[in-house]
Amino acid sequence: MTVLDSLFPTPVTQTVRHLALGFFDGLHLGHRRVILGGETPHAPDHTAVLTFRDHPLSVLHPEKHPALITGLPHKLRILGRWQIAAVVALPFDTTRARQEPSDFLRELAETFPSLHTVSVGPNWRFGKNRSGDVTMLGGWCQERNVRLDNPAPVLFAGERISSSRLRASITAGQLGDSAEMLGRPYTLYGTVGTGAGRGESLGFATANLHTEDECFPPDGVYAGHAQLADGKNFSAAINLGAQPTFHAKKRQIEAHLIGFKGNLVGQEMDLSFEKFLRPVLKFESPDALAEQIKKDISACIQTTEL
């Protein structure tokens, strides 16, 4: 997958036939429909996604900036798995915010000269003061004999799937509903960093995940899976939160990969949250915590091997 950070013609963009436009936070089933198509799917090897590196609200209204379900590395990870040919991840700054819609469309025409289809979600807007809309885009497409794909919303439980609805579901700990809207388990993605080594001292080494994702379920211990960069999967007991037994207040994302031996520091990892096991608790001693971790691992094995 080719990743670009500006709009200009390249050998890849000049062969793109389908272009999907949007921020696509979460890459849920509604986004999947826009990007990959419906009953007649778009060919992913001729598909490009145009998005922004940062949420526009981070510039326009920082106080309203939502917690990102998928930071840019995670978004690229998923689009790569969808075998998308190219992603243009534009920086969003004040210059881009002030751009007239017609100037933005002119950039699209120059960058993607071979378009057959442009696809956007139902409420898509663009340009200065959000003055560009689907009607304007439709006129631009008609002038170029390009089909506009503006699909109806994808529904879950009778209501439209949206990033804000998905975000609310995740933060409420509704993992089943979140997975239904995503079409996959709720997952964090990032790089394994170094930790304090407390898990290893207790006999249960953990991988500390550093991520640009910002939207989390409630703190607690979860059963899930870890997928490594080489594609191998391991059942995982995940601790999201602080470590009150050790008087550590910083929220961390730690996972004990059941059956794994080795050093993961510096490696990329996907961590899926599949079942809440218990809240984060303060134990009387490290030994008492170690006994509880044994129970957590047992519960995790039973859950993830069902």
Side-chain angles (χ1 to χ4, degrees):
M1 184 175 72
T2 300
V3 181
L4 305 170
D5 61 5
S6 60
L7 283 170
F8 62 90
T10 70
V12 172
T13 64
Q14 290 177 333
T15 62
V16 166
R17 296 174 189 165
H18 171 63
L19 176 64
L21 304 166
F23 188 69
F24 301 123
D25 187 29
L27 288 171
H28 54 62
L29 289 179
H31 296 149
R32 186 182 179 92
R33 167 60 186 85
V34 170
I35 295 169
L36 296 180
E39 294 181 1
T40 305
H42 306 298
D45 57 336
H46 289 288
T47 295
V49 171
L50 176 59
T51 187
F52 290 110
R53 301 184 69 86
D54 308 296
H55 198 287
L57 285 176
S58 66
V59 172
L60 300 174
H61 298 285
E63 74 283 0
K64 297 180 181 179
H65 177 231
L68 296 181
I69 303 165
T70 46
L72 183 61
H74 194 176
K75 192 180 295 185
L76 295 176
R77 171 80 156 179
I78 296 169
L79 292 172
R81 287 174 172 163
W82 291 359
Q83 299 182 321
I84 300 302
V87 177
V88 182
L90 296 176
F92 192 87
D93 52 23
T94 53
T95 299
R96 183 65 67 179
R98 294 170 184 156
Q99 186 179 36
E100 294 293 338
S102 58
D103 292 335
F104 176 70
L105 293 175
R106 184 163 48 251
E107 281 190 281
L108 292 188
E110 294 170 354
T111 304
F112 303 102
S114 303
L115 288 178
H116 292 184
T117 309
V118 173
S119 183
V120 295
N123 299 319
W124 189 71
R125 302 190 74 91
F126 63 101
K128 184 179 179 180
N129 297 324
R130 293 169 51 85
S131 54
D133 57 14
V134 175
T135 300
M136 178 184 288
L137 178 64
W140 180 85
C141 288
Q142 190 172 18
E143 291 173 1
R144 287 159 180 77
N145 197 28
V146 173
R147 184 174 74 89
L148 174 62
D149 183 19
N150 183 221
V154 177
L155 305 181
F156 167 66
E159 297 182 18
R160 173 182 169 237
I161 298 174
S162 67
S163 296
S164 57
R165 184 182 177 199
L166 176 58
R167 200 172 289 115
S169 177
I170 293 168
T171 56
Q174 298 167 344
L175 297 179
D177 288 355
S178 300
E180 290 282 351
M181 289 187 275
L182 287 165
R184 62 184 187 276
Y186 162 78
T187 303
L188 294 173
Y189 170 73
T191 303
V192 178
T194 56
R198 296 189 182 101
E200 188 171 10
S201 69
L202 296 172
F204 306 97
T206 58
N208 291 261
L209 189 71
H210 297 176
T211 180
E212 292 186 27
D213 302 341
E214 301 170 340
C215 184
F216 304 119
D219 288 357
V221 177
Y222 292 82
H225 283 88
Q227 183 177 41
L228 306 183
D230 61 7
K232 292 181 180 178
N233 280 279
F234 294 86
S235 295
I238 306 164
N239 186 87
L240 172 64
Q243 298 176 322
T245 302
F246 299 100
H247 307 288
K249 298 180 180 180
K250 182 181 177 181
R251 173 189 259 179
Q252 298 187 67
I253 308 161
E254 299 178 283
H256 173 71
L257 280 57
I258 299 169
F260 176 81
K261 296 183 185 296
N263 185 358
L264 290 172
V265 174
Q267 294 193 39
E268 297 174 345
M269 183 171 71
D270 295 87
L271 208 53
S272 65
F273 291 62
E274 295 161 30
K275 184 178 180 181
F276 178 83
L277 297 179
R278 64 171 177 84
V280 173
L281 301 172
K282 182 177 181 179
F283 293 87
E284 294 181 358
S285 66
D287 288 343
L289 172 58
E291 287 301 314
Q292 180 59 53
I293 292 175
K294 291 179 184 178
K295 297 176 183 178
D296 295 338
I297 292 172
S298 178
C300 181
I301 293 171
Q302 294 176 23
T303 298
T304 56
E305 293 185 352
L306 290 178

